[in-house]
Structures are given as C-alpha cells and as structure tokens.
Amino acid sequence: MAIEQDVLVVGGGLAGITAAISAARSGAHVRLVSYKQSTLRHASGLVDVLGYTPDGEGPLVDPFDAIDDLPEGHPYERVGTDAVASGLALFDEITAGTYEGSHTDANALVPTHGGTIKPTARYPDSAAAGLASDGRDALLVGFERLPGFDAPLAATHLGATGAPFRARGVTVEFPVKLSADPKVTRFAHLLDQDEGIDGGTRGVRRALAELVKGHLDGAERVGFPAVLGDDHPREVRADLAEYIGADVFEVPMGPPSLPGIRLEDRLFAALDEAGVSIETGNPVVGFERDGDTVASVTVSRTGNEVPYAAEQYVLATGGLVGKGLDSDREGVREPVFDCHIAQPPDRYDWFGDDAFGDHPFARFGVDPDRELRPVDAGGTAEFDNLRAAGAVLGNYDFAAEKSGSGVSLATGYHAGTLAGEEAT
C-alpha cells in the first residue's frame, strides 16, 4: 500500500524546503523526500536574487529593476516579481534576526574569501560590518591551519576592486594547538566553549583578540573567516569586538561553510514547525503514470521499493552540479520523471570556446510553463500535477547571474503554493 500525502516534494535544498513550507501553509499534508544531504552546507550562506543580467551587465543596484527585461523562459519571467518578493519575505520570516537586507530592494556588496565583491540581496548578520560600501578601513585575519582563506591575498584583491576603503591582511596561528587540517567546526567549537588556554583563566576569544590587536594599525573593523562560533556566534563576535576594540565580521567561505550549516539548521527547524514530514537518505527511483498525472513515485528504503502517492508533486532535485540532472556522452536527462531537457544534438554545441565564456550547458534544465509544470518539446505540460523549482529549471545561468538562491526561493514558493492550493 502506498504512503499517502497531499503534496510530495522531491529534493531537500533551498527550493525544496521553500516549496514544502509554502505548500504546508496552504493546509496540505506535505512530505519532503531527499536522497542526499542538502547542498546548503556547501554554500556561502549568501542569498543572491540577481547580481548581473544574462548579458553580463552589472553589478546591479536593484535586481527588481532588471527582472521585467529578462528573456522569455527565464525562471523569474515565468513566475513574476510578486513570487520573487514573496519568496524573499518567507525567507526573512524564517531567518528573522539572523539575516540582513530585508530593509531594501537594493543589493548589498559583500566581500568574499577570494577578495571579490558579490552583489547579494540577503546576507548573514555576521557579515554586516564587512560590506564593501562601508568606507572604514578593514583588517582581514586568516589562520595558519585554515587554507581556505588567504587573508593577505584577499586584501590585495579587494584593493584592486576599487572598494572605498583600505584593506590589509594578516595570517596568525590560532591560539589553540590544532591538527594539520582541522575542520571549520573545530575552530567554531573552540570559540564557542572559550575555555582557558593552557589551564589558565584567559579564554580562547581573548587570546585570539590579543594576537590580532597588535596588527590593527587604525583599522576600525576586522574580518575573520566564517568560523566564529556555531552555537553562540553573536556572543563570540561581541567578545572579540570588545577585546580588539573594533567591529568584527565574518567573511563568507567556500565549502564546507559554517553560515550554510547555520542556515540549513534554521530551514529544517522551519520545516518541523510547518508540520512537514521529512525523509532523507532515500532516493526516488521510479514513478507510475496515470494518464496526464503522476500517480505515485517509488522510493528505495533500505533495499525495499516503497510507493508514495500524492495529489501534487514538486521536483526540486537540483541541476547538473547537484545531480538533479544526469549527463553522459549521449545527452542530459532528468532522472526522476524523465522530463524533457532541450539540448543541442551535437555535444560540441554545449559549450563555448572561452573557458570563462558563455556555455549553453549552464542553462540546461527543465522548461516550465507559468505554473512551473515541466513541458515537452511541443510546449505541452508533461503532467498536470507536477511542478519543478530551483536549479533543475533551465533557461538561466545561476553562476553568471548570481541568481541561484533567489530562483530557488521564488520558484519554490510559487510551486509549493500552487501545489498546496490544488491539493486541499
């Protein structure tokens, strides 16, 4: 007998979580099924809406000003600005008190661990004192045993961007002896616990501040790699700021990302609060069709194939990077429902000659109608009760546009709301 629910969401990333919460708020019984651990823990924790146009213009001051001019088929063009605003509003509610940026439609400019400046719509409060629009000089601090952040190099790159402040970088040895390749969570936990150094009364936070203070040289703010606490990040930053005598901020890092892990924790807590049933580690391996609808999907659970039936389904499994799309020398496929993926028949037309140029494969994905139902090659919805959201969608290049999180929020909200309304 099939396990039944009103709405079944396949995929546990930002789009899937947003869809599940939106559907649940319509009164639907929702189940989220995800095979792999969410990719949020590998993301920077920044939420981009639109940093650059598809033609490369930018960085954009206000992403909403550019949405109406996006080409037909772009996910934002499919759902409209209201869905973008609603997706952001839901995110703001879920992350209340831990993220900044909701006071304006304009992008903020956030320095990254590589010394670039990223236009983004929402950013962790831990990064707020580091914005590139702030004219105060900044000292960037890296740790000897944390190779993911070369503070002197990042400061040099920031200087080349024309940012309106002077940035310097220094690398120090963390005040606690560590292994050759410690995890980012190791730094965070030591700062959370703040135990005495070498049996003394001086805690880790004060010891670190004393190491940094001698390099301050008039800087009014200090940027650390994003490892400043997991359980008590605000307390860690506040103590460091007091001991150093300057504002303290975190610089977003590459994977594994502590801000991403913090965000994942809040989102999964929101799923629980919304009453969503969550099942991870079990892949969807097939489905049954009944005319123009998906009748059920088959989930592999500890070697057994179990049918799950729903009134409505949302596909949010990710793109090529997240393995929501399969690819080989024969082509690109959507592996769960076998949805149509438009692609040139000649593989040499999948990419451009310039390594950093325009590559068509970056825009491969499911083509949706305005209700986000995947369509076939003729433009007809493949299933009446299936919608797609997030990176599995095509017709946009999230990496070049800096639009990945925004598309996930907007399409997840739109797909989940429609699915929930139709299922109840």
Side-chain angles (χ1 to χ4, degrees):
M1 179 177 293
I3 297 174
E4 296 186 356
Q5 47 273 306
D6 296 326
V7 178
L8 181 70
V9 177
V10 184
L14 183 57
I17 293 171
T18 304
I21 293 172
S22 299
R25 291 189 173 194
S26 299
H29 171 212
V30 182
R31 182 180 298 272
L32 182 148
V33 178
S34 177
Y35 177 32
K36 297 181 179 179
Q37 194 174 47
S38 170
T39 56
L40 285 164
R41 61 185 49 239
H42 301 301
S44 65
L46 302 177
V47 174
D48 310 325
V49 170
L50 190 66
Y52 297 84
T53 69
D55 295 329
E57 297 178 7
L60 299 174
V61 174
D62 186 338
F64 285 88
D65 286 344
I67 288 177
D68 288 340
D69 295 326
L70 292 172
E72 184 175 358
H74 191 288
Y76 286 152
E77 186 271 336
R78 299 281 87 177
V79 301
T81 55
D82 286 348
V84 180
S86 295
L88 284 171
L90 177 60
F91 179 85
D92 293 335
E93 179 185 338
I94 292 171
T95 60
T98 61
Y99 267 73
E100 301 285 345
S102 61
H103 64 290
T104 177
D105 287 341
N107 280 324
L109 299 176
V110 179
T112 70
H113 67 287
T116 61
I117 295 177
K118 188 175 186 181
T120 193
R122 300 291 188 271
Y123 49 94
D125 61 347
S126 63
L131 296 186
S133 54
D134 189 332
R136 295 177 298 167
D137 288 349
L139 173 68
L140 302 184
V141 178
F143 300 138
E144 289 285 355
R145 298 177 191 273
L146 187 65
F149 182 47
D150 186 329
L153 182 61
T156 299
H157 287 172
L158 275 175
T161 66
F165 60 90
R166 185 170 65 102
R168 293 181 297 105
V170 63
T171 302
V172 301
E173 188 73 63
F174 198 74
V176 176
K177 292 182 180 180
L178 298 168
S179 63
D181 186 24
K183 296 181 179 180
V184 294
T185 50
R186 176 62 175 156
F187 293 96
H189 292 162
L190 286 168
L191 289 165
D192 275 335
Q193 295 159 4
D194 196 30
E195 295 179 353
I197 300 292
D198 298 326
T201 58
R202 187 180 59 150
V204 176
R205 301 173 195 173
R206 184 177 289 277
L208 176 59
E210 290 174 356
L211 284 173
V212 171
K213 194 167 185 177
H215 298 280
L216 202 56
D217 192 24
E220 297 177 84
R221 49 186 179 149
V222 179
F224 290 90
V227 298
L228 301 185
D230 188 9
D231 297 325
H232 310 292
R234 285 187 170 177
E235 182 182 310
V236 172
R237 294 198 311 276
D239 280 354
L240 288 173
E242 179 184 352
Y243 298 151
I244 295 171
D247 282 348
V248 166
F249 62 93
E250 287 186 320
V251 179
M253 299 281 289
S257 164
L258 204 57
I261 294 171
R262 295 173 191 148
L263 176 57
E264 180 186 59
D265 290 342
R266 290 190 70 87
L267 291 171
F268 272 85
L271 285 172
D272 285 334
E273 292 170 7
V276 175
S277 300
I278 307 168
E279 188 172 317
T280 60
N282 300 318
V284 175
V285 295
F287 75 99
E288 292 293 331
R289 181 171 193 150
D290 182 7
D292 293 331
T293 65
V294 176
S296 66
V297 299
T298 304
V299 177
S300 178
R301 294 173 55 179
T302 60
N304 297 314
E305 295 192 351
V306 181
Y308 286 60
E311 293 292 324
Q312 298 286 321
Y313 298 82
V314 178
L315 176 68
T317 46
L320 286 167
V321 175
K323 303 301 183 183
L325 301 176
D326 285 341
S327 64
D328 57 26
R329 298 187 66 86
E330 301 302 318
V332 178
R333 295 173 300 281
E334 187 282 298
V336 177
F337 297 101
D338 196 27
C339 294
H340 171 69
I341 306 293
Q343 56 197 277
D346 188 339
R347 292 180 68 251
Y348 286 98
D349 293 331
W350 291 9
F351 52 87
D353 294 332
D354 187 348
F356 297 100
D358 182 25
H359 297 288
F361 71 79
R363 296 186 293 276
F364 287 175
V366 170
D367 187 16
D369 63 15
R370 296 193 183 280
E371 291 191 2
L372 294 181
R373 295 174 301 181
V375 300
D376 59 23
T380 301
E382 300 202 56
F383 304 94
D384 290 340
N385 63 339
L386 172 67
R387 290 175 173 83
V392 74
L393 297 173
N395 303 316
Y396 79 116
D397 183 344
F398 71 87
E401 297 173 5
K402 309 303 179 194
S403 61
S405 297
V407 166
S408 290
L409 288 170
T411 58
Y413 172 85
H414 195 59
T417 300
L418 292 175
E421 290 173 350
E422 292 200 15
T424 55

